């Protein structure tokens, strides 16, 4: 990006999504995303959030939390928690990405 003074993104005539993006990551980062993805529609799959949630559940289970505790914390049934805890992580599509949480 050049050293030219850029107009402020917040408070302008931008979509609600853009305003939320600015609030979440700041104007500088929002500009970087605009430059990188200019003209493209970007979507974030819900399954990646589920992958992160399942990862957190496995870690908390290994740290000593019980099925009922995790069930209440994540609003899932104990059966769903058991399935997540005992599922093969390698079978998950996102396991290859080396994501940092």
């Amino acid at each position: 990006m050049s050293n030219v003074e850029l107009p402020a993104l917040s408070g302008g005539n931008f979509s609600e999504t853009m305003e939320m993006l600015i609030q979440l990551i700041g104007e500088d980062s929002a500009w970087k995303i605009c430059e990188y993805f200019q003209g493209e529609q970007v979507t974030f799959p819900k399954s990646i959030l589920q992958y992160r949630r399942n990862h957190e559940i496995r870690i908390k289970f290994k740290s000593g939390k019980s099925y009922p505790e995790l069930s209440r914390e994540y609003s899932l049934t104990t059966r769903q928690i058991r399935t997540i805890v005992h599922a093969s992580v390698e079978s998950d599509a996102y396991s290859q990405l080396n994501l940092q949480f």
Side-chain angles (χ1 to χ4, degrees):
M1 199 154 64
S2 65
N3 291 333
V4 175
E5 183 70 27
L6 298 172
L9 286 176
S10 60
N13 293 324
F14 297 101
S15 70
E16 185 177 330
T17 302
M18 190 62 183
E19 291 287 340
M20 289 182 347
L21 183 64
I22 292 166
Q23 289 177 6
L24 284 171
I25 65 172
E27 287 193 32
D28 289 341
S29 295
W31 274 113
K32 288 177 185 175
I33 289 173
C34 288
E35 287 178 343
Y36 187 83
F37 293 107
Q38 53 185 294
E40 293 184 39
Q41 182 174 353
V42 180
T43 58
F44 301 96
K46 288 182 180 181
S47 58
I48 199 156
L49 296 175
Q50 185 178 24
Y51 174 80
R52 185 173 87 175
R53 179 205 65 195
N54 293 352
H55 179 76
E56 289 173 357
I57 288 171
R58 288 185 193 102
I59 289 172
K60 288 178 181 181
F61 181 79
K62 288 178 183 177
S63 297
K65 281 214 171 181
S66 69
Y67 296 117
E69 287 173 319
L70 292 167
S71 174
R72 285 188 297 276
E73 183 176 340
Y74 288 93
S75 300
L76 297 170
T77 65
T78 54
R79 185 176 188 163
Q80 288 172 309
I81 296 294
R82 286 179 196 273
T83 300
I84 291 166
V85 167
H86 299 292
S88 170
V89 178
E90 290 77 31
S91 67
D92 197 304
Y94 298 106
S95 64
Q96 310 290 314
L97 294 179
N98 194 23
L99 300 170
Q100 303 295 316
F101 300 114

